Amino acid sequence: MDSRPSFAVGHIQLRVNDVGAEMAFYLDHGLREIVNRKDFGILELRGGTHLVLNPVNESEPATTQAPFDLMADDIDAAHARFVKRGDQASDIEHGNIHSSFTVQGPSGYSLRVTSSHVAGPV
């Protein structure tokens, strides 16, 4: 019997100023490379979700908040990895459900990283 949830998120998209810098940023933090081109990138997260990186269109405003968050099993280790790499990471805030921090991505958007509370196989 398969006890996983019925669905997973397949693809999420982020429009960025520099696809190569974004690819390096996410590869440094453990995502898996699927496609890496100058103007297009795909990275894989746990569960098979693909993060699609596309260049910002000139007519679009720059993104200030990433339209997703990342969940980490060990929030302290994740935070330390960002800080060690020299990324601009906030202090960890501890809440009732999640602990979280934000980090600034290469294109200037704010990315929230939260503690995981996965309930069973995913």
Side-chain angles (χ1 to χ4, degrees):
M1 176 191 230
D2 189 351
S3 61
R4 296 176 302 161
S6 298
F7 295 97
V9 173
H11 299 87
I12 52 178
Q13 181 183 53
L14 190 60
R15 293 203 177 268
V16 300
N17 297 326
D18 183 338
V19 172
E22 296 293 333
M23 287 292 294
F25 176 78
Y26 284 107
L27 290 170
D28 283 351
H29 292 294
L31 275 67
R32 181 180 299 148
E33 180 180 308
I34 302 297
V35 174
N36 189 353
R37 298 186 202 147
K38 180 180 177 184
D39 62 342
F40 178 72
I42 301 176
L43 297 131
E44 191 168 62
L45 292 87
R46 284 189 185 179
T49 300
H50 288 162
L51 172 57
V52 179
L53 303 175
N54 288 310
V56 172
N57 292 333
E58 302 237 350
S59 62
E60 294 176 319
T63 301
T64 57
Q65 178 69 42
F68 57 87
D69 63 348
L70 297 178
M71 291 179 76
D73 289 337
D74 185 337
I75 194 78
D76 295 313
H79 186 267
R81 189 170 54 246
F82 281 101
V83 170
K84 181 177 180 181
R85 185 181 179 276
D87 297 316
Q88 294 179 358
S90 70
D91 291 337
I92 298 173
E93 296 178 17
H94 299 282
N96 291 333
I97 298 173
H98 289 284
S99 294
S100 64
F101 64 92
T102 57
V103 62
Q104 186 173 355
S107 291
Y109 59 84
S110 177
L111 175 64
R112 181 168 294 283
V113 179
T114 64
S115 57
S116 179
H117 60 85
V118 172
V122 292

